[in-house]
Structures are given as structure tokens and as C-alpha cells.
Amino acid sequence: MRRFLPQTLPVWVLLIVIAGLLISQVATLYIVSRDRAATNDVVDLYRLNDRAFSLVQLMSGATPEERKATAAGLFNSTYALTVSDTPAVTSSIAGDDELAELEDILVGRLSKFGITDARVRRDPATREADDATGAAPGPDIGQVERDLLVLAADFAQSEKLTASLRFADGQWLNFTEPITPVGPILSFDSLPLYALIAGLVVIMSIWSLRRLTAPYRMMETAVNRIGNDLKSPPVTESGSREVRAAAKAINAMQARLREYVEDREHLAAALAHDLRTPITRMRLRLELLRRSPARQALVHDLADIESIASSVIDFAKFEVTEEKPERIDFWSLVESVADSYETVSFDNDDARPRGLICMARPVALKRCVTNLVENAVTYGTKAHLGLSRSEGTITLAIRDEGPGIPQAQIDAVFGSFVRLEQSRNRQTGGLGLGLTIARNIARAAGGEVRLSNHPDGGLLTELRLPLAA
């Protein structure tokens, strides 16, 4: 389920904005629809009340025959009007509270014209329209006439209010009043406008989000660049106050890191200079102990000291070297490293891949490959190399024939000065810095070093580097 959810903050915020927009639009349309329906109900009751007053005022002083003649002259299918001895609304009980209140209003208002009883009911809509109103509009009529004809058809087919009013002489006045049809809130004409407004809101939201998240993208880019190259140019301190503050903080962090690394470089250089003199004196004095039984042990101890000093100095200095990245033929580099070891072989020596060009510091990259190959030869007896290319990435696979590494310790061996006790001890060489230096060099070139236990036995080391553009 999580893979279908957004993974970035801007997308989450955009979805929330769109969801809020949809909810607010639906709620607004619902409220407007209810208000329109309520308003139409009040207007319909007002129209019936007004028409009842006009008709009763017109017929109150007339004889029964004159009322019938007047009703016949005013009759049409939409606004039916009759005068008879029986009411059209037979039930004296109103259908709801609104109609009951309207009946009382009619009796109270029209009692001065001799009205003694009023009955009102709602009739359902009918689909049978009058021939005149239901006729299809002609092609030559104007837009106003077309709209009037459509509205007349809607009134003819809408629900109706039927009223029956009794005069003092017992005669009933019956008439109908169509209920105003409620048009749709959304129509084909209004949909483009709604879509345009929604699109503008989404576009403005995307623009605003990009402006708001610009500091985060800038920090991510700057931190990645600093991680790959500590000497990269500082971030430009421009833009809004927040962006300038973030850029200033990143530049301060980069400056402190550079000072720290430079201090470490100076310490390593001083250590190298100070160690060379006593080591040289010790070697000269060992030459005087030709027949001493302790001479051989001291030679081994001195070699260990030199190895430790060399590893520590390399580890301290490789990040701050002034070597510039170059385009490197990776196959040739790996082949030159493999030629130095008799127990190294290529799995695909007959099918040499072409175009394996990467951008890296030549000396540092050779050191990286040498560390990995030497690690495989030292602890796995033999090393089998394989080069491949896929999706813009060069992969160097190194498989040895050693015992491998426990799965729980694969990530730990990349730590500084980490050595596994059984297979990686001082007797077999190493100070626990080879893999650390190799991975740091690979990451500086935009690549990565990964370890895993091969299904057929041994340790599988993969060096992945991006292809040069």
C-alpha cells in the first residue's frame, strides 16, 4: 500500500490542496442547491397566494355563471382554472405544515371576499406537455425565444400546486400553479468555467509549492555536492530570507568541514614527516644487529609500523588531494591492476566490453580497485573479475574463494579500523582501512561499493560507477 502513496512533501501538499478544493466545491454546490430549493419553495407559495388574491378579487362580485365564463376564458394547460360545485382538492387535511399554514393564510386574507375554506395540495410532475409549448423550436428563432420556449416546456412538465377556494355561496374556485423547476447547478456550459478555475488553483498551488520547497531542494543538491566534492563552490546566497538563511548555513557548514579536513591533512603530513626520521634511524641500527636473534622480529615490527603509518596517512589525505577528475578507460585501469596479481582472472576475458568510460580521479580510482582486488586475493586466495555495463552504470564484480563474511557483519566491515578476527587479522595483513578508503573513493566519483556472499561461496564485491556522458 505504501508504494502507491506519495513519497515527497510537495505531492502530499498538492493532494491536500486538491482534496480541499474538491470538498469545498462539493459543499458549496450542496449549500447553493439547498438554498435555491428553499427559495423556490417560498417563491412558489408567494405566487399561489398572489394569484389566489387576484382571481378571488376578480370573481367575488360575479354570479356563478359569470365566474364560470371568466374561468373558461382564463384556462390553459399550464395554469388550469375552473369553477365548479365540487373542489379539485377533495381532502381537507393538508399534506404538510407549510401547506396547512398557507391554507390558513389564504382564508384569513380572502375572507373579506367571501372565501370560507381553502385547500392546497402538491401534484407530481407530468411528462405530457402542451402541443404549443412542447413543439420543437424552429431553426430561425432567436435565442431569447428559444429560451422562453424551453422554460415554458419545463413549467408544463414540473410539479404543480393545486388550490381549491370555496365562496360563501358554496361554489369552488379551482386552479393550478406550476412549481418553478430547479435547474442543475452544473451544466455543460458551466463545466469549462469550473475546470478553468480548478486548473488555475492547481497551477498556482504547484507554483507556490515549488517556491516554498526551493530551500529544501537547494539544501539537498548542495549537501549531495559537498558529499561528493568538499571543495565545490559555495551556494549562492540569494532569494527570500529563508533561502538566504539556508544557503548561509550550508556554506558555513562546508567551510567548517573544509577546515576540519585541512587540519587532518596537516596532521597526517606532520605525522608522515616525523615518522620517517625515526624509522630510518631504526633501519640503520638494525643493520648493526646482523647476528642478533631479535633482528628478524624487529624487522617485522618495523614493517608493521610502516604499513600502519602508510594506511593512516592515505586515509587522511585521499579526500583533499588536488587530483582533478578525468575520463578513464575503466577496462584498461582494471586490467593494469589485475596484471599485478597472479591469482586474478577475468570471467569475460574473451568478450571485452567497449565504451566503459567513467569520470574520476585516476590515482584515487586505481587505489580503490587495487584495495578491492587485494582484499579478495589476500582473504579469498583467488579473485575472479567481471565487467559489465547496464543503464548508464559500469559494474566491476570481484568474487573470491574465501569463507565470505557473516551477513550481520557485511555493513560493519566498511567502518574505519574494523577487522574480522578469524580471516582478517594482523598476520594476514591490513589495518581495517582498505574497504573504507575504497568506498569513499567510489562515492566521491558518484558510485558505490557493495558486498554480498556469493551463492557458490566466497565474497562478492561490486564496484559501481556512472558512465561518463
Side-chain angles (χ1 to χ4, degrees):
M1 184 64 180
R2 287 186 176 181
R3 62 181 178 179
F4 297 107
L5 295 176
Q7 302 297 318
T8 60
L9 178 63
V11 177
W12 268 114
V13 176
L14 183 61
L15 288 180
I16 293 173
V17 170
I18 294 175
L21 177 65
L22 291 176
I23 293 173
S24 64
Q25 288 287 351
V26 172
T28 301
L29 293 177
Y30 175 73
I31 294 171
V32 170
S33 177
R34 286 191 57 184
D35 289 347
R36 286 181 59 182
T39 302
N40 282 0
D41 289 342
V42 175
V43 171
D44 291 333
L45 296 181
Y46 171 80
R47 289 171 55 221
L48 185 142
N49 180 49
D50 188 62
R51 188 173 181 223
F53 184 87
S54 300
L55 292 174
V56 170
Q57 187 179 31
L58 176 66
M59 299 181 181
S60 61
T63 63
E65 291 73 15
E66 290 175 342
R67 292 173 188 160
K68 291 182 179 180
T70 302
L74 296 176
F75 177 89
N76 63 60
S77 60
T78 303
Y79 298 92
L81 176 63
T82 62
V83 175
S84 64
D85 296 332
T86 58
V89 182
T90 57
S91 176
S92 60
I93 301 175
D96 54 49
D97 294 340
E98 284 186 350
L99 296 183
E101 185 176 356
L102 179 63
E103 291 174 356
D104 295 338
I105 293 173
L106 290 173
V107 172
R109 188 183 184 194
L110 302 176
S111 59
K112 62 183 178 181
F113 298 110
I115 297 299
T116 60
D117 191 11
R119 302 177 184 179
V120 183
R121 74 165 182 237
R122 283 190 175 89
D123 293 332
T126 176
R127 295 301 175 187
E128 297 179 0
D130 184 72
D131 292 341
T133 58
D140 298 331
I141 65 174
Q143 184 62 41
V144 175
E145 186 177 0
R146 185 185 301 275
D147 293 340
L148 290 176
L149 289 175
V150 172
L151 186 60
D154 291 340
F155 269 103
Q157 299 176 8
S158 69
E159 298 179 354
K160 292 178 175 58
L161 289 173
T162 300
S164 296
L165 306 176
R166 188 176 66 179
F167 289 97
D169 57 6
Q171 200 171 38
W172 290 86
L173 171 64
N174 305 304
F175 65 92
T176 61
E177 185 74 22
I179 295 176
T180 305
V182 181
I185 298 296
L186 290 177
S187 64
F188 288 106
D189 295 334
S190 61
L191 278 178
L193 180 60
Y194 277 103
L196 176 62
I197 295 174
L200 290 176
V201 171
V202 171
I203 292 173
M204 290 297 297
S205 301
I206 294 175
W207 179 81
S208 301
L209 286 173
R210 289 189 62 83
R211 295 277 298 178
L212 289 174
T213 57
Y216 301 102
R217 294 196 303 273
M218 180 269 294
M219 285 190 292
E220 179 184 6
T221 303
V223 170
N224 288 333
R225 188 174 69 248
I226 292 172
N228 294 331
D229 183 9
L230 192 57
K231 294 185 177 181
S232 60
V235 180
T236 303
E237 299 180 8
S238 61
S240 63
R241 183 176 62 181
E242 292 77 9
V243 175
R244 293 197 305 271
K248 186 175 181 180
I250 291 175
N251 291 337
M253 178 192 69
Q254 183 180 5
R256 293 191 187 99
L257 286 175
R258 289 185 62 175
E259 290 176 1
Y260 169 76
V261 173
E262 288 174 357
D263 290 342
R264 189 174 65 169
E265 181 187 22
H266 296 157
L267 176 63
L271 178 64
H273 180 271
D274 293 343
L275 283 178
R276 287 194 184 100
T277 301
I279 289 175
T280 302
R281 289 202 304 265
M282 291 173 67
R283 284 193 176 279
L284 292 175
R285 290 170 182 173
L286 281 176
E287 294 298 325
L288 302 177
L289 301 177
R290 296 182 180 275
R291 296 182 181 180
S292 173
R295 181 180 183 278
Q296 194 63 30
L298 290 174
V299 169
H300 286 298
D301 291 340
L302 191 58
D304 287 343
I305 294 174
E306 288 181 326
S307 177
I308 293 172
S310 177
S311 297
V312 172
I313 292 170
D314 289 341
F315 177 68
K317 294 182 65 175
F318 87 93
E319 290 181 342
V320 292
T321 181
E322 298 297 334
E323 185 183 13
K324 300 297 182 181
E326 299 178 6
R327 295 175 64 88
I328 300 172
D329 185 345
F330 193 62
W331 173 272
S332 300
L333 186 145
V334 173
E335 192 175 35
S336 65
V337 173
D339 289 341
S340 304
Y341 301 90
E342 296 181 356
T343 57
V344 173
S345 62
F346 284 91
D347 292 334
N348 54 351
D349 197 14
D350 296 335
R352 176 173 178 173
R354 295 180 178 275
L356 301 184
I357 307 298
C358 62
M359 285 293 295
R361 295 179 293 181
V363 176
L365 184 59
K366 186 172 183 179
R367 175 66 185 277
C368 172
V369 175
T370 301
N371 283 6
L372 297 179
V373 172
E374 185 175 351
N375 194 70
V377 171
T378 303
Y379 306 120
T381 309
K382 294 182 179 180
H384 304 276
L385 309 185
L387 274 169
S388 61
R389 167 184 175 177
S390 63
E391 298 181 357
T393 302
I394 303 172
T395 301
L396 169 62
I398 306 172
R399 180 174 64 88
D400 61 34
E401 297 181 2
I405 295 177
Q407 189 66 32
Q409 295 180 308
I410 285 182
D411 292 333
V413 296
F414 284 108
S416 302
F417 305 103
V418 174
R419 292 177 289 111
L420 300 185
E421 289 300 329
Q422 287 140 359
S423 62
R424 287 161 170 75
N425 50 45
R426 293 294 302 276
Q427 279 69 33
T428 55
L431 191 63
L433 292 173
L435 289 177
T436 305
I437 294 174
R439 187 175 67 171
N440 290 344
I441 294 173
R443 288 181 173 178
E448 186 58 270
V449 175
R450 296 178 182 176
L451 302 180
S452 62
N453 291 308
H454 197 275
D456 296 333
L459 183 68
L460 176 63
T461 305
E462 291 184 328
L463 169 60
R464 297 181 181 179
L465 297 171
L467 277 168

